[in-house]
Amino acid sequence: MIFNLNAIIDLKIKVKIFFIFLLNLFSSILEVISIGSIPILLLYILSPDKIADKIPNENLKSLLSNFLDSNSKDENIFFILIGIVILFLFKNLYFFLIGVYQSYFQRKFITTYTTKLFNTYLSEKYEFFLNNNPAQIIKNIESCQIIYKVIYIVLNLFREISIVIGLIVVVMFQDLYISAIIISLSLF
């Protein structure tokens, strides 16, 4: 089915599909970052002195330590919360804009291929319509929506898989033992 789609879809539409794939990949990265920001807040609330120890880069570690030491714990929690709220607002705005673009692309895709198929049928001779079932012709024209839905499902599948992989990678950096348990439990 996917190979048949490759033959039907022209290069311009393929480029737009790839662009949507890249947008979805970036949205999965944003999703992982936003989910990963909540444990940072919890870690700071529970043990503020350990948050700087988790950073492997020495320059970033000293910069964060200086920033955290210059403010009180309540101010730091406020700044972290503001950062998380801004991150979630940006992520949701980005998701909204992706949704708008995907809806626009869906409308253009369905309109383009429905029109092409309809024009193909209009250019046929009268005998073609006598020999073919009109219900089948209408069904073929409406099948352009199914083609887009297959593309949409595949793109969302890649996004969800990349989110899961990103979360597993984040957990692996935190604790390899816990990530091995999570991966083994998810396989069964």
Side-chain angles (χ1 to χ4, degrees):
M1 174 95 180
I2 300 285
F3 299 113
N4 293 341
L5 287 179
N6 194 22
I8 295 171
I9 298 172
D10 61 347
L11 182 64
K12 187 177 177 182
I13 299 294
K14 288 178 188 176
V15 168
K16 288 183 179 181
I17 291 172
F18 184 71
F19 181 66
I20 291 174
F21 172 75
L22 291 178
L23 290 175
N24 281 337
L25 187 66
F26 185 68
S27 71
S28 64
I29 291 169
L30 276 176
E31 186 75 33
V32 169
I33 290 171
S34 63
I35 291 172
S37 66
I38 295 173
I40 293 172
L41 173 68
L42 295 176
L43 178 67
Y44 183 75
I45 290 172
L46 296 176
S47 56
D49 51 332
K50 290 185 180 180
I51 196 164
D53 296 335
K54 298 288 183 181
I55 299 175
N57 189 337
E58 289 298 323
N59 293 333
L60 242 106
K61 186 185 289 188
S62 65
L63 181 68
L64 183 65
S65 294
N66 291 338
F67 177 74
L68 293 177
D69 292 339
S70 66
N71 300 321
S72 69
K73 184 178 179 180
D74 292 335
E75 289 174 336
N76 290 335
I77 290 174
F78 177 74
F79 289 136
I80 293 172
L81 280 173
I82 291 296
I84 289 174
V85 167
I86 290 171
L87 180 66
F88 273 88
L89 285 174
F90 176 73
K91 179 193 74 152
N92 289 327
L93 177 67
Y94 184 76
F95 279 15
F96 173 74
L97 293 175
I98 287 176
V100 168
Y101 182 73
Q102 284 179 339
S103 297
Y104 170 76
F105 175 73
Q106 175 186 4
R107 184 177 56 83
K108 290 291 277 183
F109 182 89
I110 292 171
T111 304
T112 300
Y113 286 102
T114 303
T115 305
K116 280 183 181 180
L117 189 57
F118 185 69
N119 287 336
T120 302
Y121 283 140
L122 286 179
S123 65
E124 293 292 331
K125 298 189 187 264
Y126 182 70
E127 291 82 27
F128 174 80
F129 296 104
L130 292 175
N131 296 331
N132 289 305
N133 186 358
Q136 184 64 33
I137 294 172
I138 293 171
K139 182 180 147 194
N140 289 345
I141 291 173
E142 291 177 350
S143 68
C144 292
Q145 294 178 0
I146 295 171
I147 295 171
Y148 176 77
K149 290 190 191 293
V150 168
I151 294 169
Y152 182 75
I153 288 170
V154 169
L155 287 173
N156 279 339
L157 178 69
F158 281 127
R159 186 183 78 207
E160 297 299 324
I161 287 173
S162 61
I163 288 172
V164 169
I165 290 171
L167 289 174
I168 289 172
V169 167
V170 167
V171 171
M172 284 177 68
F173 278 122
Q174 182 62 30
D175 191 356
L176 191 58
Y177 178 72
I178 291 175
S179 63
I181 292 172
I182 290 172
I183 292 171
S184 64
L185 288 176
S186 66
L187 292 177
F188 296 111

